[in-house]
């Protein structure tokens, strides 16, 4: 496993111009993809595949802090995916129905009796990130970028396990060249480019034809650059990173969830529900938009790499059971899959967005 990770670090560090290009890049890519899909299962097995479900554990490292989550993924072919993680932070569900993406988050109840609060991270208020006129508004370059990153994980799930992508991604593949693999082996590299700037590089072992990893670049949006993005830990829209309601110290009763006296039902109040923001003036809103956009444009790019390993046969399909994320040469996330079901009964209703009631429930 360690040799594979080191090989991924070395191989993916090679710039595109250093790879030997094939004359017919598209035909070569199609040939490699066909060979690799054959290692997953025979053509009939893949054609008859209606869905998959995965269960396992995700381990993430944030500096000195580690977070372990229970992982569940449902895939309904050809392009519907629902991912749920349960951790000490709470329960997060991300859904992609082939065209649209949405996220639901229920923070864990904390702070002892009376001190907890529940509430998803929805869009910000006017002028806030994701709110009308904010830097994360639907028509802003930053929002478009983050929307692509949210979809990217779902594209990766389909590519990593089945070497296919949703039709809406409009991914086209071209052969990039050879790269060194573990213990003197050689890898074939294929570039994928799709709609809205999506790009990815896939790596295949030349002898086994198995997919061993992929790479892509993202903007490094640290705290000084506007947070990790919508929905990420500590970012706008996430349960973590918010201030705890006054009095809701660990193990002590708090006032979280109570409505301020001036916030009557159906009326705006100061402080109201957790996550509410005070409305900004037009000047403040414009200044904040410019600051967000400036940080976004200046943010450096960082290369993300995923290594796929521990292939096992399940119901006639040969699928990876371990996925390792590498950033800056250091593994910082690992998915360990303990259970996979082939063609389970999955209701299409799981992939339908449910409108929230006016009360937010």
């Amino acid at each position: 496993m360690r040799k594979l990770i080191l090989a991924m670090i070395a191989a993916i560090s090679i710039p595109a111009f250093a790879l030997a290009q094939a004359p017919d890049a598209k035909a070569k890519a199609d040939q490699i993809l066909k060979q690799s899909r054959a290692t997953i299962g025979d053509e009939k097995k893949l054609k008859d595949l209606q869905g998959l479900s995965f269960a396992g554990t995700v381990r993430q490292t944030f500096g000195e802090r580690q977070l372990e989550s229970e992982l569940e993924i449902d895939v309904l072919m050809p392009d519907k995916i629902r991912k749920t993680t349960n951790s000490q932070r709470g329960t997060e569900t991300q859904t992609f129905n082939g065209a649209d993406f949405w996220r639901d988050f229920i923070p864990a109840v904390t702070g002892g009796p009376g001190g907890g609060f529940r509430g998803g991270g929805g869009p910000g208020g006017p002028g806030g990130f994701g709110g009308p006129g904010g830097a994360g508004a639907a028509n802003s370059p930053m929002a478009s970028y983050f929307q692509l990153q949210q979809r990217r994980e779902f594209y990766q799930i389909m590519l990593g396990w089945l070497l296919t992508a949703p039709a809406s991604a409009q991914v086209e593949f071209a052969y990039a060249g050879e790269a060194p693999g573990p213990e003197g082996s050689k890898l074939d590299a294929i570039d994928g480019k799709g709609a809205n700037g999506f790009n990815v590089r896939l790596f295949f072992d030349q002898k086994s034809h198995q997919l061993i990893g992929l790479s892509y670049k993202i903007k490094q949006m640290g705290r000084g650059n506007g947070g990790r993005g919508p929905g990420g830990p500590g970012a706008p829209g996430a349960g973590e990173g918010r201030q705890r309601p006054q009095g809701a110290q660990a193990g002590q009763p708090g006032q979280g969830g109570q409505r301020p006296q001036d916030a009557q039902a159906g009326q705006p109040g100061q402080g109201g529900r957790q996550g509410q923001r005070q409305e900004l003036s037009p000047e403040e809103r414009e200044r904040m938009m410019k600051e967000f956009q400036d940080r976004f444009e200046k943010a450096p790019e960082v290369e993300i790499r995923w290594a796929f390993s521990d292939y096992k046969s399940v119901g006639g399909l040969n699928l990876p059971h371990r996925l390792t994320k590498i950033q800056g040469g250091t593994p910082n996330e690992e998915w360990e899959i303990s259970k996979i079901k082939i063609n389970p009964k999955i209701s299409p209703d799981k992939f339908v967005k449910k409108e929230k009631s006016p009360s937010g429930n």
Side-chain angles (χ1 to χ4, degrees):
M1 177 61 189
R2 178 171 174 78
K3 290 180 180 178
L4 174 59
I5 293 176
L6 291 174
M8 287 297 297
I9 294 173
I12 302 172
S13 297
I14 298 176
F17 62 80
L19 298 173
Q21 297 292 319
D24 192 341
K26 185 180 186 305
K28 179 71 170 177
D30 291 343
Q31 178 189 11
I32 293 172
L33 288 169
K34 183 177 180 180
Q35 291 172 330
S36 189
R37 289 189 183 109
T39 70
I40 300 173
D42 61 53
E43 188 175 347
K44 184 178 186 305
K45 191 73 178 179
L46 292 173
K47 185 177 180 180
D48 293 342
L49 185 64
Q50 300 296 313
L52 293 163
S53 67
F54 304 85
T57 304
V58 175
R59 299 180 184 89
Q60 296 170 290
T61 302
F62 304 97
E64 297 181 355
R65 179 169 164 263
Q66 293 186 339
L67 178 68
E68 182 169 311
S69 309
E70 296 175 355
L71 172 70
E72 294 180 2
I73 298 175
D74 290 319
V75 177
L76 189 62
M77 299 299 288
D79 55 9
K80 294 179 173 60
I81 308 168
R82 179 184 171 99
K83 176 190 171 192
T84 302
T85 52
N86 293 286
S87 70
Q88 61 189 20
R89 292 177 54 238
T91 300
E92 179 180 52
T93 301
Q94 297 174 310
T95 308
F96 180 69
N97 66 3
D100 299 319
F101 166 90
W102 62 92
R103 170 187 177 274
D104 295 298
F105 183 72
I106 303 177
V109 177
T110 60
F117 65 92
R118 295 169 67 88
F129 193 99
N139 59 348
S140 74
M142 184 185 290
S144 298
Y145 171 82
F146 281 127
Q147 287 165 9
L148 171 61
Q149 302 316 313
Q150 290 169 335
R151 286 166 169 76
R152 179 185 288 280
E153 184 172 41
F154 294 100
Y155 298 168
Q156 287 171 201
I157 288 173
M158 299 295 288
L159 286 169
W161 273 305
L162 300 172
L163 282 175
T164 186
S168 60
Q170 302 176 33
V171 182
E172 295 185 355
F173 296 98
Y175 185 66
E178 282 187 356
E183 299 181 334
S185 64
K186 292 183 178 180
L187 308 177
D188 282 317
I190 290 178
D191 285 339
K193 294 184 179 180
N196 303 312
F198 174 76
N199 60 82
V200 66
R201 175 167 288 179
L202 307 177
F203 291 84
F204 302 85
D205 183 272
Q206 283 190 351
K207 288 187 176 180
S208 69
H209 304 302
Q210 277 187 341
L211 175 71
I212 72 160
L214 60 78
S215 73
Y216 55 91
K217 291 183 178 180
I218 63 170
K219 285 184 175 290
Q220 191 171 23
M221 301 292 288
R223 288 189 181 275
N225 289 312
R228 293 185 65 216
E240 187 178 1
R242 292 176 179 166
Q243 292 183 348
R244 181 176 283 138
Q246 187 176 3
Q249 302 298 324
Q252 299 179 4
Q255 302 302 316
Q258 292 187 4
R259 181 182 287 116
Q261 293 180 355
D262 61 337
Q264 300 298 323
Q267 297 180 2
Q270 297 297 321
R273 288 178 57 190
Q274 192 70 16
Q276 220 172 23
R277 296 179 177 87
Q278 183 176 358
E279 185 171 351
L280 302 175
S281 68
E283 293 78 14
E284 290 173 325
R285 186 180 307 143
E286 184 178 359
R287 184 175 66 252
M288 188 172 72
M289 287 172 60
K290 288 181 179 179
E291 289 176 355
F292 268 119
Q293 188 63 35
D294 186 57
R295 291 174 184 173
F296 172 74
E297 291 175 353
K298 292 180 179 179
E301 285 192 330
V302 61
E303 195 164 41
I304 304 296
R305 310 153 190 177
W306 282 88
F308 302 96
S309 60
D310 197 13
Y311 277 82
K312 298 177 184 178
S313 180
V314 180
L317 297 181
N318 191 31
L319 302 170
H321 283 60
R322 189 179 302 275
L323 290 73
T324 305
K325 181 183 177 183
I326 305 157
Q327 182 171 342
T330 303
N332 61 8
E333 183 173 337
E334 183 175 80
W335 297 13
E336 184 176 352
I337 306 302
S338 56
K339 189 174 183 179
I340 299 178
K341 291 183 179 180
I342 309 297
N343 290 332
K345 187 176 180 180
I346 302 176
S347 172
D349 291 343
K350 277 192 169 186
F351 309 93
V352 177
K353 188 172 184 179
K354 296 174 177 61
E355 298 297 332
K356 293 184 178 181
S357 65
S359 62
N361 297 322

